[in-house]
Amino acid sequence: MLKQVLEKITPSRQELEKEMRKAEEIRQKILHMKGKHLEVVLAGSLARNTHLKGDRDIDLFVMFHKNLGRKEFQEEGLRIGKRVFAGHKWEKAFTEHPYIRGEIDGYEVEIVPTYKVEEAEKLQSAVDRSPFHSKYLQGKLGEEQKDSVRLLKKFLKNIKAYGADARASSIPGYAVELIILKYGDFEVSLKEISSWEKGEVIDIENYWEREKARKKFCAPLIMVDPTDKNRNVSAALSEHQMNRIIAATRAFLKKPSRAFFFGKKEKTMSYKKAKQAMKKTELLALGFSYPKAVADIVWGQTRRLARKIANALMEQEFNVLRAQEWTDEKNHCVIVFELEAIQLEKAMKRFGPLVTNKSASENFLKAHKRVFSGPRIEQGRWVLEIERKYPNAKKYLEEYASKLASEEKGALRKALKKRKIMMEKELLEMFKKNAEFREFFSCFLKGKEEFLEY
Ligand code: CTP
Ligand code: MG
Protein backbone atom coordinates (compact mmCIF):
# COMPACT_ATOMS: atom_id res chain seq x y z
CA MET A 1 0.00 0.00 0.00
CA LEU A 2 2.76 2.45 0.89
CA LYS A 3 4.20 2.04 -2.57
CA GLN A 4 0.93 3.13 -4.13
CA VAL A 5 0.73 6.08 -1.81
CA LEU A 6 4.26 7.09 -2.78
CA GLU A 7 3.37 7.06 -6.45
CA LYS A 8 0.68 9.59 -5.75
CA ILE A 9 2.71 11.94 -3.57
CA THR A 10 6.12 11.95 -5.26
CA PRO A 11 6.72 14.52 -7.99
CA SER A 12 7.57 12.93 -11.32
CA ARG A 13 10.97 13.51 -12.88
CA GLN A 14 9.52 15.94 -15.37
CA GLU A 15 7.76 17.87 -12.64
CA LEU A 16 10.88 18.02 -10.56
CA GLU A 17 12.93 19.21 -13.50
CA LYS A 18 10.38 21.85 -14.31
CA GLU A 19 10.31 23.07 -10.73
CA MET A 20 14.08 23.17 -10.54
CA ARG A 21 14.27 25.08 -13.83
CA LYS A 22 11.81 27.64 -12.56
CA ALA A 23 13.73 28.03 -9.33
CA GLU A 24 16.98 28.42 -11.22
CA GLU A 25 15.44 30.98 -13.56
CA ILE A 26 14.36 33.14 -10.63
CA ARG A 27 17.67 32.62 -8.91
CA GLN A 28 19.54 33.84 -11.98
CA LYS A 29 17.25 36.82 -12.25
CA ILE A 30 18.09 37.87 -8.72
CA LEU A 31 21.79 37.21 -9.19
CA HIS A 32 21.81 39.57 -12.15
CA MET A 33 20.06 42.36 -10.31
CA LYS A 34 22.09 45.26 -9.04
CA GLY A 35 22.21 45.23 -5.25
CA LYS A 36 24.13 44.41 -2.13
CA HIS A 37 23.42 40.69 -2.16
CA LEU A 38 26.24 38.19 -2.39
CA GLU A 39 24.50 34.96 -3.23
CA VAL A 40 21.12 33.37 -3.86
CA VAL A 41 20.46 29.89 -2.55
CA LEU A 42 17.57 27.54 -3.16
CA ALA A 43 16.52 26.05 0.16
CA GLY A 44 13.55 24.34 1.73
CA SER A 45 12.21 20.97 0.71
CA LEU A 46 12.56 21.54 -3.03
CA ALA A 47 16.33 21.88 -2.68
CA ARG A 48 16.40 18.66 -0.68
CA ASN A 49 13.90 16.85 -2.89
CA THR A 50 11.64 16.04 0.02
CA HIS A 51 8.59 18.02 -1.05
CA LEU A 52 5.17 16.65 -1.85
CA LYS A 53 3.81 16.42 -5.34
CA GLY A 54 1.84 19.48 -6.28
CA ASP A 55 3.21 21.62 -3.45
CA ARG A 56 4.91 24.06 -5.80
CA ASP A 57 6.82 25.87 -3.14
CA ILE A 58 10.06 27.65 -4.04
CA ASP A 59 12.08 29.03 -1.12
CA LEU A 60 14.93 31.26 -2.22
CA PHE A 61 17.38 32.82 0.19
CA VAL A 62 19.12 36.04 -0.70
CA MET A 63 22.33 36.37 1.26
CA PHE A 64 23.90 39.56 2.50
CA HIS A 65 27.22 40.33 4.10
CA LYS A 66 27.06 39.89 7.86
CA ASN A 67 28.25 43.44 8.45
CA LEU A 68 25.37 45.01 6.55
CA GLY A 69 23.24 47.05 8.97
CA ARG A 70 19.90 45.65 10.01
CA LYS A 71 17.93 48.45 8.40
CA GLU A 72 19.66 48.26 5.05
CA PHE A 73 19.45 44.47 5.16
CA GLN A 74 15.68 44.64 5.51
CA GLU A 75 15.25 47.32 2.88
CA GLU A 76 17.43 45.53 0.36
CA GLY A 77 15.66 42.23 1.05
CA LEU A 78 12.26 43.77 0.43
CA ARG A 79 13.41 45.72 -2.60
CA ILE A 80 14.80 42.64 -4.30
CA GLY A 81 11.73 40.63 -3.34
CA LYS A 82 9.40 43.17 -4.91
CA ARG A 83 11.48 43.35 -8.08
CA VAL A 84 11.24 39.59 -8.51
CA PHE A 85 7.47 39.81 -8.52
CA ALA A 86 7.13 42.75 -10.89
CA GLY A 87 3.93 42.01 -12.77
CA HIS A 88 2.93 39.17 -10.43
CA LYS A 89 0.90 38.81 -7.26
CA TRP A 90 2.88 39.29 -4.04
CA GLU A 91 2.54 40.21 -0.38
CA LYS A 92 4.73 41.15 2.52
CA ALA A 93 5.06 38.40 5.09
CA PHE A 94 6.78 38.10 8.43
CA THR A 95 8.64 35.49 10.31
CA GLU A 96 11.18 37.13 12.56
CA HIS A 97 11.80 39.68 9.84
CA PRO A 98 9.78 40.84 6.85
CA TYR A 99 10.17 39.25 3.44
CA ILE A 100 8.23 39.08 0.20
CA ARG A 101 6.32 36.13 -1.08
CA GLY A 102 4.16 35.78 -4.12
CA GLU A 103 3.12 33.72 -7.04
CA ILE A 104 4.93 33.18 -10.31
CA ASP A 105 3.46 30.86 -12.94
CA GLY A 106 1.57 28.89 -10.32
CA TYR A 107 4.54 28.55 -7.99
CA GLU A 108 4.50 29.94 -4.48
CA VAL A 109 7.78 31.76 -4.26
CA GLU A 110 9.35 33.14 -1.10
CA ILE A 111 12.29 35.49 -1.26
CA VAL A 112 13.89 35.49 2.16
CA PRO A 113 16.79 37.81 2.97
CA THR A 114 19.41 36.32 5.23
CA TYR A 115 22.90 37.07 6.51
CA LYS A 116 25.73 35.00 5.22
CA VAL A 117 27.38 33.53 8.28
CA GLU A 118 29.50 30.48 8.97
CA GLU A 119 27.36 28.92 11.68
CA ALA A 120 23.62 28.66 12.09
CA GLU A 121 23.97 29.56 15.76
CA LYS A 122 24.87 33.10 14.78
CA LEU A 123 21.52 33.61 13.08
CA GLN A 124 18.50 35.28 14.50
CA SER A 125 15.58 33.93 12.56
CA ALA A 126 14.24 30.44 11.92
CA VAL A 127 14.09 30.51 8.14
CA ASP A 128 17.64 31.84 7.86
CA ARG A 129 18.81 28.45 8.89
CA SER A 130 17.44 26.64 5.91
CA PRO A 131 20.69 26.54 3.89
CA PHE A 132 22.38 25.03 6.94
CA HIS A 133 19.64 22.46 7.20
CA SER A 134 20.12 21.46 3.58
CA LYS A 135 23.84 21.20 4.06
CA TYR A 136 23.37 19.09 7.18
CA LEU A 137 20.91 16.69 5.59
CA GLN A 138 22.85 16.33 2.37
CA GLY A 139 24.39 12.89 2.17
CA LYS A 140 22.75 11.85 5.44
CA LEU A 141 19.25 11.31 4.16
CA GLY A 142 19.17 8.46 1.66
CA GLU A 143 16.82 8.24 -1.31
CA GLU A 144 14.55 5.73 0.40
CA GLN A 145 14.46 7.90 3.45
CA LYS A 146 13.24 10.75 1.28
CA ASP A 147 10.29 8.53 0.40
CA SER A 148 9.72 8.06 4.10
CA VAL A 149 9.85 11.81 4.63
CA ARG A 150 7.15 12.27 2.01
CA LEU A 151 4.98 9.57 3.58
CA LEU A 152 5.26 11.09 7.03
CA LYS A 153 4.65 14.61 5.73
CA LYS A 154 1.52 13.45 3.94
CA PHE A 155 0.34 11.44 6.94
CA LEU A 156 0.70 14.48 9.19
CA LYS A 157 -0.76 16.82 6.62
CA ASN A 158 -3.85 14.68 6.28
CA ILE A 159 -4.54 14.79 10.01
CA LYS A 160 -3.86 18.55 9.96
CA ALA A 161 -0.73 18.33 12.02
CA TYR A 162 1.84 19.39 9.46
CA GLY A 163 3.50 22.68 8.66
CA ALA A 164 5.45 25.54 10.14
CA ASP A 165 2.69 28.14 10.14
CA ALA A 166 0.98 29.28 13.31
CA ARG A 167 -2.37 27.97 12.22
CA ALA A 168 -1.45 24.36 12.72
CA SER A 169 0.72 24.37 15.90
CA SER A 170 2.24 21.43 14.12
CA ILE A 171 5.40 19.71 12.96
CA PRO A 172 7.39 21.60 10.30
CA GLY A 173 8.95 19.91 7.28
CA TYR A 174 12.50 20.02 8.55
CA ALA A 175 11.41 18.30 11.76
CA VAL A 176 9.87 15.48 9.73
CA GLU A 177 13.20 15.00 7.99
CA LEU A 178 14.95 14.81 11.33
CA ILE A 179 12.46 12.25 12.61
CA ILE A 180 13.18 9.97 9.64
CA LEU A 181 16.90 10.52 10.05
CA LYS A 182 16.65 9.53 13.70
CA TYR A 183 14.39 6.49 13.42
CA GLY A 184 15.30 5.22 9.95
CA ASP A 185 12.09 4.91 7.99
CA PHE A 186 8.39 5.65 7.97
CA GLU A 187 7.13 2.53 9.71
CA VAL A 188 9.70 2.53 12.47
CA SER A 189 9.01 6.23 12.97
CA LEU A 190 5.32 5.58 13.46
CA LYS A 191 6.09 2.89 16.02
CA GLU A 192 8.40 5.21 17.90
CA ILE A 193 5.97 8.12 17.74
CA SER A 194 3.17 5.92 19.05
CA SER A 195 5.00 5.67 22.35
CA TRP A 196 6.24 9.24 22.62
CA GLU A 197 5.84 10.85 25.98
CA LYS A 198 5.32 14.44 26.99
CA GLY A 199 8.72 16.09 27.01
CA GLU A 200 10.18 13.64 24.49
CA VAL A 201 13.70 14.64 23.46
CA ILE A 202 15.17 13.98 20.02
CA ASP A 203 18.72 15.18 19.97
CA ILE A 204 20.49 13.57 17.05
CA GLU A 205 23.83 15.20 17.73
CA ASN A 206 23.60 14.49 21.47
CA TYR A 207 24.15 18.10 22.47
CA TRP A 208 22.28 17.88 25.75
CA GLU A 209 21.58 15.59 28.64
CA ARG A 210 17.95 14.63 28.53
CA GLU A 211 16.88 16.44 31.69
CA LYS A 212 18.86 19.53 30.80
CA ALA A 213 17.18 19.72 27.40
CA ARG A 214 13.77 19.34 29.02
CA LYS A 215 14.48 22.15 31.44
CA LYS A 216 15.94 24.43 28.82
CA PHE A 217 13.29 24.09 26.11
CA CYS A 218 10.26 23.22 28.19
CA ALA A 219 8.03 21.98 25.36
CA PRO A 220 5.93 18.87 24.74
CA LEU A 221 8.37 17.73 22.04
CA ILE A 222 11.99 18.81 21.96
CA MET A 223 13.86 18.34 18.70
CA VAL A 224 17.24 19.93 19.01
CA ASP A 225 18.35 21.43 15.70
CA PRO A 226 21.57 19.66 14.71
CA THR A 227 22.77 22.92 13.15
CA ASP A 228 22.01 24.98 16.26
CA LYS A 229 21.90 23.38 19.66
CA ASN A 230 19.94 26.26 21.15
CA ARG A 231 16.93 25.82 18.95
CA ASN A 232 13.98 23.50 19.29
CA VAL A 233 12.81 22.74 15.77
CA SER A 234 9.39 21.63 17.01
CA ALA A 235 8.83 24.56 19.36
CA ALA A 236 5.52 25.42 17.70
CA LEU A 237 3.98 21.99 18.25
CA SER A 238 1.23 22.15 20.84
CA GLU A 239 0.61 19.40 23.34
CA HIS A 240 -2.83 18.89 21.85
CA GLN A 241 -1.43 18.35 18.37
CA MET A 242 1.24 16.04 19.72
CA ASN A 243 -1.42 13.91 21.37
CA ARG A 244 -3.42 13.80 18.15
CA ILE A 245 -0.34 12.66 16.24
CA ILE A 246 0.38 9.93 18.78
CA ALA A 247 -3.21 8.68 18.68
CA ALA A 248 -3.22 8.71 14.86
CA THR A 249 -0.04 6.64 14.64
CA ARG A 250 -1.60 4.07 16.96
CA ALA A 251 -4.72 3.92 14.81
CA PHE A 252 -2.58 3.44 11.71
CA LEU A 253 -0.46 0.68 13.25
CA LYS A 254 -3.61 -1.16 14.26
CA LYS A 255 -5.25 -0.86 10.89
CA PRO A 256 -3.18 0.75 8.14
CA SER A 257 -5.06 2.22 5.21
CA ARG A 258 -4.82 4.75 2.42
CA ALA A 259 -7.28 6.95 4.22
CA PHE A 260 -4.50 8.00 6.61
CA PHE A 261 -2.87 9.78 3.68
CA PHE A 262 -5.78 10.97 1.62
CA GLY A 263 -8.66 11.13 4.08
CA LYS A 264 -12.10 9.76 3.57
CA LYS A 265 -14.08 10.81 0.56
CA GLU A 266 -17.16 11.90 2.39
CA LYS A 267 -16.12 14.78 4.60
CA THR A 268 -19.21 16.87 4.90
CA MET A 269 -22.63 16.16 6.34
CA SER A 270 -25.84 16.72 4.55
CA TYR A 271 -27.80 19.82 5.49
CA LYS A 272 -30.43 17.65 7.11
CA LYS A 273 -27.89 15.76 9.19
CA ALA A 274 -26.26 19.00 10.31
CA LYS A 275 -29.59 20.38 11.36
CA GLN A 276 -30.33 17.25 13.35
CA ALA A 277 -26.92 17.27 14.99
CA MET A 278 -27.42 20.89 16.02
CA LYS A 279 -30.50 19.95 17.95
CA LYS A 280 -28.33 17.95 20.29
CA THR A 281 -26.03 20.80 21.26
CA GLU A 282 -26.16 24.42 22.29
CA LEU A 283 -24.09 26.47 19.88
CA LEU A 284 -23.22 30.08 19.70
CA ALA A 285 -20.81 31.76 17.33
CA LEU A 286 -19.19 35.05 16.52
CA GLY A 287 -18.75 35.79 12.86
CA PHE A 288 -16.73 38.71 11.51
CA SER A 289 -15.16 39.74 8.26
CA TYR A 290 -11.66 38.64 7.35
CA PRO A 291 -9.02 41.15 8.50
CA LYS A 292 -6.63 42.45 5.86
CA ALA A 293 -3.60 40.52 7.02
CA VAL A 294 -1.54 37.43 6.23
CA ALA A 295 -3.39 34.16 6.93
CA ASP A 296 -0.87 33.06 9.54
CA ILE A 297 -1.47 36.15 11.59
CA VAL A 298 -5.22 35.98 11.24
CA TRP A 299 -5.30 32.37 12.45
CA GLY A 300 -3.28 33.39 15.48
CA GLN A 301 -5.58 36.30 16.19
CA THR A 302 -8.81 34.32 15.86
CA ARG A 303 -7.40 31.64 18.12
CA ARG A 304 -6.52 34.26 20.71
CA LEU A 305 -10.02 35.74 20.46
CA ALA A 306 -11.58 32.29 20.82
CA ARG A 307 -9.71 31.74 24.05
CA LYS A 308 -10.48 35.21 25.33
CA ILE A 309 -14.20 34.92 24.65
CA ALA A 310 -14.39 31.41 26.11
CA ASN A 311 -12.81 32.70 29.30
CA ALA A 312 -15.20 35.61 29.45
CA LEU A 313 -18.16 33.25 29.00
CA MET A 314 -16.85 30.96 31.72
CA GLU A 315 -16.54 33.92 34.05
CA GLN A 316 -20.25 34.48 33.58
CA GLU A 317 -20.78 30.82 34.51
CA PHE A 318 -21.52 29.65 30.97
CA ASN A 319 -19.80 26.33 30.76
CA VAL A 320 -17.89 26.28 27.47
CA LEU A 321 -17.44 22.70 26.28
CA ARG A 322 -15.55 23.59 23.11
CA ALA A 323 -14.39 26.65 21.25
CA GLN A 324 -13.03 26.53 17.74
CA GLU A 325 -11.98 29.09 15.19
CA TRP A 326 -12.30 28.94 11.45
CA THR A 327 -11.56 31.17 8.50
CA ASP A 328 -11.65 30.73 4.73
CA GLU A 329 -8.65 33.09 4.60
CA LYS A 330 -10.59 35.35 2.27
CA ASN A 331 -13.88 36.75 3.52
CA HIS A 332 -15.06 35.17 6.74
CA CYS A 333 -13.92 34.35 10.24
CA VAL A 334 -16.13 32.39 12.61
CA ILE A 335 -15.54 31.29 16.19
CA VAL A 336 -17.94 28.59 17.35
CA PHE A 337 -18.67 27.85 20.99
CA GLU A 338 -20.39 24.79 22.30
CA LEU A 339 -22.01 25.58 25.63
CA GLU A 340 -23.61 23.39 28.23
CA ALA A 341 -26.50 25.83 28.19
CA ILE A 342 -27.11 29.13 26.44
CA GLN A 343 -29.81 30.11 28.91
CA LEU A 344 -28.94 30.02 32.60
CA GLU A 345 -31.19 30.42 35.63
CA LYS A 346 -32.18 33.92 36.58
CA ALA A 347 -30.59 33.50 39.96
CA MET A 348 -26.99 32.97 40.86
CA LYS A 349 -26.09 31.20 44.07
CA ARG A 350 -23.54 32.80 46.35
CA PHE A 351 -21.93 30.71 49.06
CA GLY A 352 -20.95 32.64 52.17
CA PRO A 353 -18.86 31.79 55.22
CA LEU A 354 -19.62 29.34 58.00
CA VAL A 355 -22.20 30.68 60.43
CA THR A 356 -19.77 30.00 63.25
CA ASN A 357 -17.37 32.53 61.78
CA LYS A 358 -18.85 35.58 63.37
CA SER A 359 -17.11 38.48 61.73
CA ALA A 360 -17.10 36.96 58.25
CA SER A 361 -20.81 36.26 58.60
CA GLU A 362 -21.50 39.86 59.51
CA ASN A 363 -19.53 41.12 56.54
CA PHE A 364 -21.25 38.74 54.17
CA LEU A 365 -24.71 39.70 55.29
CA LYS A 366 -23.86 43.38 55.12
CA ALA A 367 -22.30 43.13 51.66
CA HIS A 368 -25.31 41.60 49.95
CA LYS A 369 -28.30 43.85 50.25
CA ARG A 370 -30.18 43.17 47.05
CA VAL A 371 -30.92 39.48 47.17
CA PHE A 372 -33.29 37.33 45.17
CA SER A 373 -33.73 34.79 47.87
CA GLY A 374 -32.05 34.18 51.21
CA PRO A 375 -29.86 34.56 53.09
CA ARG A 376 -30.44 31.12 54.49
CA ILE A 377 -28.30 28.49 56.11
CA GLU A 378 -27.30 25.37 54.20
CA GLN A 379 -25.01 22.86 55.86
CA GLY A 380 -23.66 25.40 58.25
CA ARG A 381 -23.02 28.11 55.66
CA TRP A 382 -24.74 31.28 54.69
CA VAL A 383 -26.21 31.02 51.22
CA LEU A 384 -28.09 33.53 49.15
CA GLU A 385 -29.20 34.01 45.60
CA ILE A 386 -28.68 37.18 43.65
CA GLU A 387 -29.90 38.20 40.25
CA ARG A 388 -27.72 37.01 37.41
CA LYS A 389 -26.57 39.87 35.24
CA TYR A 390 -26.37 37.84 32.06
CA PRO A 391 -28.65 34.81 32.05
CA ASN A 392 -28.40 34.60 28.24
CA ALA A 393 -25.11 33.84 26.51
CA LYS A 394 -26.13 35.47 23.25
CA LYS A 395 -26.90 38.75 24.98
CA TYR A 396 -23.66 38.58 26.83
CA LEU A 397 -21.64 37.81 23.70
CA GLU A 398 -23.23 40.74 21.92
CA GLU A 399 -22.01 43.09 24.62
CA TYR A 400 -18.65 41.43 24.99
CA ALA A 401 -17.98 41.46 21.26
CA SER A 402 -18.66 45.16 21.02
CA LYS A 403 -16.21 45.71 23.85
CA LEU A 404 -13.66 43.57 22.02
CA ALA A 405 -14.14 45.50 18.81
CA SER A 406 -13.24 48.73 20.56
CA GLU A 407 -10.26 47.21 22.38
CA GLU A 408 -8.53 45.52 19.45
CA LYS A 409 -6.34 47.41 17.05
CA GLY A 410 -5.56 47.69 13.36
CA ALA A 411 -6.99 45.33 10.78
CA LEU A 412 -8.67 43.12 13.37
CA ARG A 413 -10.50 46.08 14.87
CA LYS A 414 -11.83 46.98 11.46
CA ALA A 415 -12.86 43.40 10.78
CA LEU A 416 -14.68 43.16 14.10
CA LYS A 417 -16.73 46.20 13.20
CA LYS A 418 -18.52 43.94 10.76
CA ARG A 419 -19.64 41.19 13.07
CA LYS A 420 -22.66 39.16 13.88
CA ILE A 421 -23.65 36.77 16.57
CA MET A 422 -24.59 33.51 14.94
CA MET A 423 -27.13 31.04 16.26
CA GLU A 424 -28.61 27.97 14.63
CA LYS A 425 -30.22 29.85 11.77
CA GLU A 426 -27.16 31.86 10.79
CA LEU A 427 -24.84 28.88 11.16
CA LEU A 428 -27.01 26.81 8.87
CA GLU A 429 -27.12 29.63 6.34
CA MET A 430 -23.34 29.72 6.28
CA PHE A 431 -23.32 25.93 6.05
CA LYS A 432 -25.41 26.16 2.93
CA LYS A 433 -23.42 28.92 1.29
CA ASN A 434 -19.80 28.19 2.04
CA ALA A 435 -18.23 24.83 1.14
CA GLU A 436 -15.17 25.34 3.33
CA PHE A 437 -17.32 26.18 6.30
CA ARG A 438 -19.41 23.12 5.56
CA GLU A 439 -16.36 20.92 5.93
CA PHE A 440 -15.21 22.60 9.11
CA PHE A 441 -18.64 22.62 10.68
CA SER A 442 -19.35 18.99 9.81
CA CYS A 443 -16.18 18.05 11.66
CA PHE A 444 -17.12 20.26 14.57
CA LEU A 445 -20.58 18.78 14.87
CA LYS A 446 -19.23 15.28 14.66
CA GLY A 447 -16.69 16.16 17.29
CA LYS A 448 -14.72 13.02 16.56
CA GLU A 449 -11.16 12.58 15.39
CA GLU A 450 -11.53 11.63 11.76
CA PHE A 451 -8.62 9.21 11.80
CA LEU A 452 -10.53 6.94 14.17
CA GLU A 453 -12.74 6.10 11.22
CA TYR A 454 -10.08 5.44 8.61
N1 CTP B 1 12.39 26.54 8.61
C1 CTP B 1 12.73 26.24 9.91
N2 CTP B 1 11.86 26.42 10.92
C2 CTP B 1 10.62 26.87 10.68
C3 CTP B 1 10.23 27.20 9.37
C4 CTP B 1 11.13 27.01 8.35
O1 CTP B 1 13.84 25.82 10.17
N3 CTP B 1 9.78 27.04 11.71
C5 CTP B 1 13.36 26.38 7.52
C6 CTP B 1 13.61 24.92 7.19
O2 CTP B 1 14.95 24.74 6.83
C7 CTP B 1 12.69 24.69 6.00
C8 CTP B 1 12.72 26.04 5.29
O3 CTP B 1 12.87 26.99 6.34
O4 CTP B 1 13.15 23.65 5.20
C9 CTP B 1 11.50 26.32 4.46
O5 CTP B 1 10.34 26.25 5.24
P1 CTP B 1 8.99 25.54 4.77
O6 CTP B 1 8.71 25.82 3.34
O7 CTP B 1 7.96 25.86 5.78
O8 CTP B 1 9.32 23.96 4.95
P2 CTP B 1 9.93 22.91 3.98
O9 CTP B 1 11.01 22.19 4.70
O10 CTP B 1 10.30 23.55 2.69
O11 CTP B 1 8.75 21.87 3.80
P3 CTP B 1 7.51 21.85 2.78
O12 CTP B 1 7.70 20.59 2.01
O13 CTP B 1 6.31 21.79 3.63
O14 CTP B 1 7.58 23.09 1.95
MG1 MG C 1 9.01 24.74 1.47
Side-chain angles (χ1 to χ4, degrees):
M1 179 203 44
L2 293 181
K3 236 182 157 167
Q4 285 170 352
V5 174
L6 269 172
E7 272 168 30
K8 287 237 150 124
I9 64 174
T10 312
S12 68
R13 256 194 52 197
Q14 290 102 302
E15 270 174 289
L16 186 63
E17 275 166 18
K18 210 171 140 202
E19 281 169 335
M20 292 300 269
R21 260 205 310 277
K22 189 84 235 161
E24 184 57 21
E25 184 190 310
I26 303 170
R27 197 178 84 88
Q28 288 299 334
K29 188 170 159 188
I30 301 173
L31 276 175
H32 286 99
M33 278 180 200
K34 277 215 178 81
K36 300 212 161 74
H37 51 302
L38 305 171
E39 241 181 273
V40 184
V41 176
L42 175 67
S45 58
L46 176 59
R48 310 201 273 267
N49 191 16
T50 53
H51 60 307
L52 292 174
K53 186 184 176 95
D55 256 12
R56 303 172 72 89
D57 193 18
I58 298 178
D59 306 307
L60 284 167
F61 287 73
V62 182
M63 302 194 146
F64 294 95
H65 195 277
K66 60 178 188 280
N67 293 337
L68 190 71
R70 191 84 195 166
K71 192 166 163 266
E72 216 175 336
F73 164 79
Q74 287 201 359
E75 282 168 3
E76 271 288 283
L78 293 177
R79 185 186 65 82
I80 291 172
K82 288 177 194 169
R83 286 261 324 258
V84 172
F85 293 106
H88 298 274
K89 240 173 55 184
W90 61 269
E91 67 182 359
K92 198 166 157 184
F94 296 86
T95 47
E96 279 95 321
H97 55 69
Y99 65 95
I100 303 290
R101 69 174 173 210
E103 219 185 278
I104 297 179
D105 305 334
Y107 291 93
E108 260 177 54
V109 185
E110 313 207 334
I111 308 292
V112 185
T114 172
Y115 282 113
K116 192 174 172 184
V117 293
E118 301 81 32
E119 291 162 64
E121 284 170 32
K122 298 210 171 102
L123 291 164
Q124 291 145 31
S125 108
V127 279
D128 288 358
R129 295 175 170 87
S130 193
F132 291 92
H133 295 159
S134 298
K135 209 186 285 165
Y136 178 79
L137 289 168
Q138 202 171 36
K140 285 202 174 66
L141 209 57
E143 286 309 308
E144 275 174 26
Q145 285 182 308
K146 290 183 182 177
D147 288 348
S148 285
V149 168
R150 288 197 172 94
L151 287 170
L152 188 52
K153 277 188 179 181
K154 186 70 178 150
F155 179 91
L156 292 170
K157 200 169 186 170
N158 182 54
I159 61 165
K160 300 197 169 64
Y162 176 71
D165 52 0
R167 154 188 190 173
S169 309
S170 296
I171 295 198
Y174 176 53
V176 172
E177 291 173 83
L178 293 180
I179 289 173
I180 298 298
L181 192 61
K182 162 95 185 177
Y183 297 133
D185 71 12
F186 175 72
E187 278 169 298
V188 177
S189 296
L190 285 209
K191 275 191 201 113
E192 293 288 339
I193 293 171
S194 73
S195 52
W196 270 358
E197 276 169 28
K198 186 178 165 184
E200 192 74 33
V201 180
I202 296 176
D203 182 7
I204 296 176
E205 293 294 326
N206 296 313
Y207 286 127
W208 304 92
E209 276 168 40
R210 204 179 155 83
E211 282 314 310
K212 275 208 177 124
R214 283 192 172 170
K215 260 217 186 99
K216 176 176 167 63
F217 294 104
C218 194
L221 175 66
I222 296 144
M223 286 183 67
V224 184
D225 189 343
T227 72
D228 179 353
K229 67 174 192 295
N230 290 310
R231 177 164 181 261
N232 176 10
V233 181
S234 57
L237 179 68
S238 68
E239 198 177 334
H240 174 67
Q241 285 290 58
M242 180 168 167
N243 282 318
R244 290 188 64 245
I245 293 167
I246 293 170
T249 58
R250 288 183 192 152
F252 179 89
L253 292 168
K254 228 189 228 163
K255 192 174 150 244
S257 84
R258 277 172 56 96
F260 282 92
F261 302 94
F262 304 109
K264 289 218 302 192
K265 276 196 202 94
E266 198 45 65
K267 278 221 174 104
T268 59
M269 291 182 180
S270 67
Y271 182 83
K272 210 174 125 198
K273 260 234 172 102
K275 206 169 167 181
Q276 270 169 4
M278 283 182 85
K279 293 268 175 290
K280 285 189 234 153
T281 61
E282 304 235 0
L283 300 181
L284 177 68
L286 173 68
F288 51 97
S289 61
Y290 185 79
K292 279 210 177 91
V294 180
D296 240 23
I297 291 175
V298 176
W299 278 105
Q301 283 174 333
T302 31
R303 186 166 313 150
R304 179 172 58 80
L305 283 188
R307 230 175 279 143
K308 212 168 161 182
I309 297 170
N311 285 337
L313 284 164
M314 295 283 243
E315 247 168 56
Q316 298 300 324
E317 298 190 345
F318 294 103
N319 201 3
V320 179
L321 303 175
R322 282 191 296 159
Q324 213 171 325
E325 65 284 342
W326 168 85
T327 168
D328 59 2
E329 303 183 2
K330 274 198 306 276
N331 304 311
H332 309 282
C333 294
V334 178
I335 307 174
V336 188
F337 302 92
E338 182 180 14
L339 303 184
E340 209 167 68
I342 285 181
Q343 186 69 37
L344 296 179
E345 317 79 23
K346 286 204 188 80
M348 207 153 115
K349 215 165 184 181
R350 280 276 175 267
F351 289 92
L354 290 169
V355 177
T356 46
N357 188 338
K358 194 174 162 199
S359 63
S361 293
E362 263 170 35
N363 288 339
F364 182 73
L365 297 177
K366 243 191 271 165
H368 292 91
K369 288 264 152 52
R370 290 186 35 185
V371 294
F372 240 40
S373 121
R376 57 178 176 269
I377 298 166
E378 281 180 17
Q379 284 159 353
R381 284 180 176 279
W382 287 110
V383 171
L384 52 78
E385 286 174 28
I386 55 171
E387 187 176 7
R388 186 184 294 280
K389 198 166 173 209
Y390 298 102
N392 185 282
K394 184 184 179 205
K395 273 256 161 58
Y396 176 68
L397 185 56
E398 265 161 15
E399 261 182 52
Y400 188 73
S402 93
K403 190 173 112 172
L404 269 185
S406 63
E407 277 172 9
E408 294 295 337
K409 289 183 193 72
L412 184 58
R413 183 195 179 103
K414 260 196 197 148
L416 280 167
K417 287 250 144 58
K418 273 198 210 151
R419 64 175 182 274
K420 66 173 175 224
I421 308 295
M422 303 167 79
M423 306 290 283
E424 184 176 321
K425 186 173 146 260
E426 292 81 10
L427 285 166
L428 281 171
E429 245 164 53
M430 187 90 168
F431 186 88
K432 228 185 221 166
K433 272 196 296 213
N434 188 309
E436 281 172 65
F437 182 77
R438 198 146 56 231
E439 195 173 305
F440 157 77
F441 199 57
S442 297
C443 272
F444 185 90
L445 285 173
K446 240 186 175 178
K448 180 175 178 180
E449 289 291 356
E450 238 170 77
F451 57 74
L452 293 175
E453 295 185 339
Y454 288 162

